Amino acid sequence: MKSMFSGMAAVACAMMLFVAAPASADIKVGAILAETGGASFLGGPEARTIRMQVEEINAAGGINGEKIDLVVKDSAANPQKAISFAKQLIEEEKVIAILGPSTSGESMKLKAICEKSQTILMSCGAAEVIVNPVAKWVFKTPQTDSFAAQKIFMTMNDLGITKIAILAGNTGFGKAGRSQLKKYAPQFHITILEDEVYDKKATDLSAVVAKIKANKDVQAVVNWSIVPAQAIVAKNMRQAGWAVPLFQSHGFGNVKYIEAAGEAAEGIIFPSGRLLAADVLATSHPQKAVLGKYIADYMAKYDGEQASTFGGHGFDAIMILAKAIENAGSSDKAKVRDAIENLSNHAGTGGVYNFSATDHNGLGIDAFEMMTVKNGKFVLYTK
Amino acid sequence: MPLELFSQYLFAGITYGIIYAIVAIGFNIIYNTTGIINFAQGEFVMLGGMISISLNSLMPLPLAIVCAVFITMLFGGLLEIVFIRWLESPSVLRMIIITIGLSIVIREVALHIWGDGVRALPYFTGNVVSSVQILGASISPQVLWALAVCSIMVLMLSLFFKFTSLGREMQACASNRLAATLCGINARNMVTFSFMLSAAIGAVAGCVVSPITSTQYDMGTGLAIKGFTVAVLGGLGNSMAAVAAGLLLGIIEAFSVGVGFPLVFQDAIAISILLVILFVRPHGLFGNKEAAGLKEF
């Protein structure tokens, strides 16, 4: 084995003598995404999108003449796996940046590792804690959950809703969302009357729906969870004949969830990036072109599979990195990092990004639109 | 607690309970003939749901369900023939590990075939928002479907085991495999039949509950744990007891929400009950101590 390695190394050295001088090496970029496992609805579209975009960039001749060499690792949403893959990517593959991970929990584990090894991390996790407090090398592309919570409360203020019930799944996403809701409720003069956390694998929530329904003062319900509970809450509420407005988190942004909830999805109100509203955006909107192209490309490449906001997080991660490499004029990771921090007015799928030394997400509350479901389709919410 | 709320919790509990009970019945049938717990039982439920959903786009709902049940049944038999039948006097532990392995493989294969999306069959009557008023509670008609299907299934199973020769041969294998073999019963075939039967029952369950719970590739694990708890609670091998235990657990879970027990610990109730039963009454609430003593596991 050893002799084989040294033999290979010798051949490689010899080859490098011939080719090393003119062509610059490829840019190594790693990605750690939950392609399988419980968060595969996030990691799957993200990985497919990133592969698609890298192919496109390389087919167009790369960035500044350098091609991207992408290494994707499947963490299955397991933080321990994510950590070992990150170490492997950093130490062995010597990547300049890691795209992902898909979940907030994994991202928090990698925050310190990337900071220490000075590797760029472009997280696809939603939680605000990933970039607050700011870590020098850590960025994230999805809209922040605190803005989602505030956007929901702003809509409630418009509707004159002041007393609500919160339901949340016991995932990292659900817990983070619930704490944001509780944090911002007083600012918007909203009282939380009922507050329940359920298991992420719950298959029927009619008992808890009965419980909160018994509280006659509840004017609206906010559910903060991932599939399939999002659909189950909606079904159980409608079956119980309870017609108060149901708000969901920005995790509801996938057409599949409407299918899962069927008619019960009608009228659900939730904040979302503009990906779902791409076809109703004004042509002058800065995101219009990028969204239209991404949605069409993804559908063409993956046999009619509809693009989701989650795939969009992957799109933004790779495209921000590519733009920063282009702006830096180099693939030196320190220069690229500075270029990300200086990136402004970058239209992505999640919004228009304006990064700064203190803002490593680059999105404001205006990245969200309130959406609702009408006749089985997502439409912009109007009062 | 007002009557309306009481009956709402009660029916929520019955909904949970039926689902657990049907899974537990599947456990019991295989346990009866082989003495093992088939941890891939939850996967049969998932397969039944998934296959019927796929077929439903090609054919009417009742036909899709029948075909899905039939396919899952054949699949159950095939699993037994390929992975278990040829083992020479396998230990109980070895067979259990095989079924756990199979459940993982089936789950991953399902992920590749159907993806990670949540799917559901259409409601058998009405739609997702329709409900029936009973004792002041609003319940989905699908719950009544599940209740009816479960009752018919339990009834037919007990008739099958009492009055058909195949059923009685399976019973004989359950009581004493050696003696049954000496009487000319092919015990290996009985094991295959039991896998087919429990796969079919799992698939029926998967179809009936799909509109209520939705079907996802990894739904089997959670169901298997609850079903196992219920099977042990009722007394392993006793299908009627499984129904009673299932309803009991479901109703306890539903009312625990009502009295303010944190919802997120709902699963802890099932596991605590399982532990208590294993310590105090390992033969189950309705089981017979002497009969349980004769079993290897």
Side-chain angles (χ1 to χ4, degrees), chain A residues 74-95:
Chain A
D74 176 12
S75 69
N78 177 340
Q80 295 313 317
K81 275 193 190 170
I83 291 172
S84 64
F85 281 139
K87 287 185 174 153
Q88 192 189 347
L89 287 173
I90 294 166
E91 284 160 22
E92 290 172 26
E93 304 277 355
K94 308 233 181 292
V95 297

Side-chain angles (χ1 to χ4, degrees), chain A residues 149 152-153 156 163-169 174-186 190-198 208-209 211-212 215 218-225 233 237 242 246-247, chain B residues 263:
Chain A
I152 288 174
F153 287 149
M156 287 182 173
K163 297 189 175 77
I164 62 162
I166 297 180
L167 289 173
K175 285 181 201 156
R178 177 168 164 258
S179 64
Q180 296 291 355
L181 288 171
K182 290 173 104 165
K183 183 172 152 198
Y184 285 102
I190 283 169
T191 322
I192 297 168
L193 294 179
E194 300 280 338
D195 173 18
E196 297 279 348
V197 177
Y198 53 81
V208 75
V209 166
K211 186 184 175 197
I212 56 174
N215 189 334
V218 172
Q219 293 169 303
V221 177
V222 185
N223 177 55
W224 207 289
S225 67
V233 171
M237 277 179 67
W242 198 23
L246 171 61
F247 290 80
Chain B
L263 189 60

Side-chain angles (χ1 to χ4, degrees), chain B residues 45-57:
Chain B
V45 179
M46 181 270 294
L47 281 178
M50 280 298 191
I51 295 174
S52 61
I53 292 164
S54 298
L55 291 178
N56 191 33
S57 55

Side-chain angles (χ1 to χ4, degrees), chain A residues 93-328:
Chain A
E93 304 277 355
K94 308 233 181 292
V95 297
I96 65 156
I98 294 173
L99 308 176
S102 310
T103 65
S104 301
E106 292 170 276
S107 303
M108 291 310 289
K109 298 276 185 203
L110 298 200
K111 195 173 173 179
I113 295 174
C114 287
E115 196 65 7
K116 200 172 154 211
S117 66
Q118 308 204 324
T119 308
I120 300 164
L121 185 72
M122 292 294 292
S123 168
C124 296
E128 192 182 0
V129 282
I130 299 168
V131 290
N132 181 20
V134 168
K136 195 177 171 200
W137 293 84
V138 180
F139 300 84
K140 84 181 191 83
T141 59
Q143 307 89 344
T144 299
D145 47 9
S146 68
F147 287 139
Q150 293 174 47
K151 193 86 187 176
I152 288 174
F153 287 149
M154 284 156 85
T155 313
M156 287 182 173
N157 283 353
D158 281 351
L159 293 170
I161 294 169
T162 53
K163 297 189 175 77
I164 62 162
I166 297 180
L167 289 173
N170 66 343
T171 55
F173 180 69
K175 285 181 201 156
R178 177 168 164 258
S179 64
Q180 296 291 355
L181 288 171
K182 290 173 104 165
K183 183 172 152 198
Y184 285 102
Q187 280 185 32
F188 291 87
H189 310 291
I190 283 169
T191 322
I192 297 168
L193 294 179
E194 300 280 338
D195 173 18
E196 297 279 348
V197 177
Y198 53 81
D199 188 78
K200 61 180 178 234
K201 283 280 156 214
T203 51
D204 184 283
L205 294 165
S206 48
V208 75
V209 166
K211 186 184 175 197
I212 56 174
K213 188 187 171 204
N215 189 334
K216 301 287 179 212
D217 291 329
V218 172
Q219 293 169 303
V221 177
V222 185
N223 177 55
W224 207 289
S225 67
I226 52 174
V227 282
Q230 293 183 344
I232 293 169
V233 171
K235 282 189 203 175
N236 290 155
M237 277 179 67
R238 298 306 174 231
Q239 279 159 4
W242 198 23
V244 297
L246 171 61
F247 290 80
Q248 301 256 19
S249 71
H250 52 315
F252 193 67
N254 190 326
V255 178
K256 284 184 189 163
Y257 306 159
I258 301 190
E259 286 162 15
E263 209 172 304
E266 292 292 308
I268 288 175
I269 307 168
F270 66 103
S272 159
R274 293 199 176 78
L275 189 127
L276 300 175
D279 42 346
V280 294
L281 278 186
T283 10
S284 58
H285 196 280
Q287 285 180 263
K288 178 88 177 175
V290 61
L291 283 171
K293 181 173 181 321
Y294 168 58
I295 292 168
D297 284 356
Y298 189 87
M299 208 172 215
K301 170 119 184 151
Y302 297 109
D303 304 328
E305 185 186 324
Q306 292 217 21
S308 64
T309 51
F310 313 123
H313 301 329
F315 179 93
D316 292 337
I318 180 72
M319 296 315 276
I320 288 169
L321 184 70
K323 187 76 188 164
I325 296 172
E326 192 187 323
N327 288 354

Side-chain angles (χ1 to χ4, degrees), chain B:
Chain B
M1 193 180 284
L3 174 71
E4 184 190 323
L5 197 56
F6 178 85
S7 46
Q8 195 77 55
Y9 285 134
L10 184 68
F11 278 102
I14 291 174
T15 314
Y16 307 148
I18 295 168
I19 300 170
Y20 303 156
I22 301 179
V23 180
I25 291 172
F27 275 125
N28 282 337
I29 291 170
I30 291 183
Y31 177 79
N32 269 343
T33 45
T34 61
I36 65 168
I37 298 295
N38 168 30
F39 279 97
Q41 186 62 33
E43 270 61 38
F44 290 150
V45 179
M46 181 270 294
L47 281 178
M50 280 298 191
I51 295 174
S52 61
I53 292 164
S54 298
L55 291 178
N56 191 33
S57 55
L58 308 172
M59 53 184 86
L61 183 62
L63 193 62
I65 291 176
V66 172
C67 288
V69 170
F70 192 68
I71 293 171
T72 314
M73 191 170 93
L74 290 184
F75 179 76
L78 197 70
L79 272 192
E80 198 277 333
I81 290 169
V82 174
F83 294 102
I84 296 186
R85 194 181 178 90
W86 55 274
L87 298 176
E88 291 290 335
S89 60
S91 69
V92 167
L93 189 62
R94 187 169 163 200
M95 287 205 279
I96 289 177
I97 291 171
I98 289 176
T99 66
I100 293 176
L102 284 176
S103 78
I104 296 171
V105 173
I106 296 172
R107 205 152 56 231
E108 292 303 316
V109 170
L111 174 63
H112 282 277
I113 298 177
W114 288 288
D116 47 39
V118 182
R119 293 146 183 260
L121 275 181
Y123 279 69
F124 293 2
T125 43
N127 63 18
V128 63
V129 291
S130 51
S131 60
V132 189
Q133 298 287 325
I134 297 179
L135 299 174
S138 318
I139 329 148
S140 167
Q142 194 64 28
V143 173
L144 303 179
W145 270 104
L147 199 57
V149 168
C150 174
S151 320
I152 294 170
M153 216 150 65
V154 172
L155 193 69
M156 282 174 55
L157 269 181
S158 51
L159 292 178
F160 171 77
F161 282 125
K162 272 209 177 78
F163 296 111
T164 64
S165 64
L166 183 60
R168 285 152 80 156
E169 284 171 17
M170 284 170 81
Q171 287 274 62
C173 272
S175 315
N176 190 325
R177 194 165 172 166
L178 184 63
T181 316
L182 289 175
C183 293
I185 295 171
N186 186 334
R188 293 202 163 169
N189 282 351
M190 292 307 124
V191 174
T192 313
F193 283 137
S194 72
F195 266 81
M196 291 172 75
L197 192 59
S198 70
I201 287 171
V204 172
C207 297
V208 182
V209 304
S210 174
I212 306 175
T213 64
S214 310
T215 309
Q216 205 178 7
Y217 77 97
D218 61 350
M219 72 186 291
T221 326
L223 285 177
I225 293 173
K226 289 290 176 65
F228 179 63
T229 308
V230 166
V232 172
L233 181 61
L236 271 173
N238 185 342
S239 292
M240 286 292 194
V243 176
L247 291 177
L248 185 65
L249 179 64
I251 290 169
I252 290 175
E253 283 190 357
F255 278 96
S256 72
V257 175
V259 297
F261 191 79
L263 189 60
V264 68
F265 296 129
Q266 211 176 34
D267 282 350
I269 299 177
I271 303 294
S272 315
I273 291 178
L274 177 62
L275 286 177
V276 171
I277 286 288
L278 285 175
F279 283 128
V280 182
R281 269 187 84 90
H283 47 282
L285 285 183
F286 309 101
N288 182 323
K289 199 170 179 181
E290 278 81 47
L294 294 172
K295 295 277 183 183
E296 193 183 343
F297 171 72

